[in-house]
Amino acid sequence: MTTPPNGVHGAVDTVDRKILTLLMAEGRLPNNVLASRVGIAASTCLTRVRNLRQRGVIRGVHADVNLEALGRPLEAMVSISLQASSRSRIAQFREYLGSLPGVLDVYFLAGRNDFMVHVAVADPGTLRDFVVENLSAVPDVAMTETNLIFDHVRPTAEHVLDA
């Protein structure tokens, strides 16, 4: 038997999938409501959710924040390629990217680009300053490419779990 990725052990059965589907749609469901919707006892539901957390299947519960309401309506994906001589500093660069203001997500990639960074900022000037001052000015960076995000669609939980 092979070990599942990222330390996740054990199968996810139909009941676990129902729990995950509901929690992905509404992460703050009280246990008794969750249990009722899944059709299991509250104690069983609590045990299953704890087990899913312990196994690393559930990594956290997050708020879906309206960035425009926070004054950050402009979102972009910035691709970054590092200099060949910078390969030994990939971990440090990843941490650096995660510490920058406006960064929502950092992805380490295989392929033409080394990183993809999802940012949200107030306006085009702030985006330009972010790229120029925090990325292009860094000697380890060979190239950046910025793509504006017009819209974002999050698939339904069922779609994600059935993939």
Side-chain angles (χ1 to χ4, degrees):
M1 183 169 123
T2 60
T3 303
N6 302 321
V8 179
H9 300 285
V12 176
D13 65 13
T14 304
V15 174
D16 288 340
R17 283 185 178 282
K18 287 180 185 177
I19 290 170
L20 292 169
T21 298
L22 291 166
L23 288 178
M24 286 175 71
E26 191 177 345
R28 295 185 66 194
L29 276 177
N31 184 63
N32 62 331
V33 174
L34 181 60
S36 175
R37 290 186 186 172
V38 174
I40 58 176
S43 59
T44 301
C45 186
L46 187 59
T47 299
R48 281 180 171 266
V49 170
R50 283 183 182 156
N51 184 279
L52 289 166
R53 284 188 181 126
Q54 289 171 349
R55 291 173 26 218
V57 177
I58 296 175
R59 296 185 298 183
V61 179
H62 310 279
D64 185 8
V65 177
N66 178 348
L67 296 167
E68 189 169 353
L70 297 178
R72 295 166 51 188
L74 182 61
E75 292 184 62
M77 296 298 281
V78 182
S79 303
I80 304 162
S81 294
L82 297 179
Q83 300 284 354
S85 61
S86 301
R87 298 290 179 229
S88 64
R89 294 185 294 281
I90 286 176
Q92 293 89 343
F93 191 72
R94 182 182 62 225
E95 296 304 315
Y96 167 71
L97 291 172
S99 73
L100 294 174
V103 171
L104 302 174
D105 295 294
V106 175
Y107 303 95
F108 177 47
L109 308 171
R112 184 172 61 104
N113 297 305
D114 296 302
F115 290 95
M116 181 85 65
V117 181
H118 180 192
V119 298
V121 294
D123 53 53
T126 305
L127 179 59
R128 179 198 63 236
D129 292 346
F130 174 87
V131 172
V132 170
E133 295 171 12
N134 297 307
L135 303 176
S136 297
V138 175
D140 287 336
V141 174
M143 188 271 318
T144 65
E145 180 180 348
T146 303
N147 292 283
L148 297 180
I149 298 172
F150 293 134
D151 200 2
H152 172 245
V153 177
R154 179 167 283 130
T156 63
E158 293 87 357
H159 177 76
V160 172
L161 292 172
D162 288 340

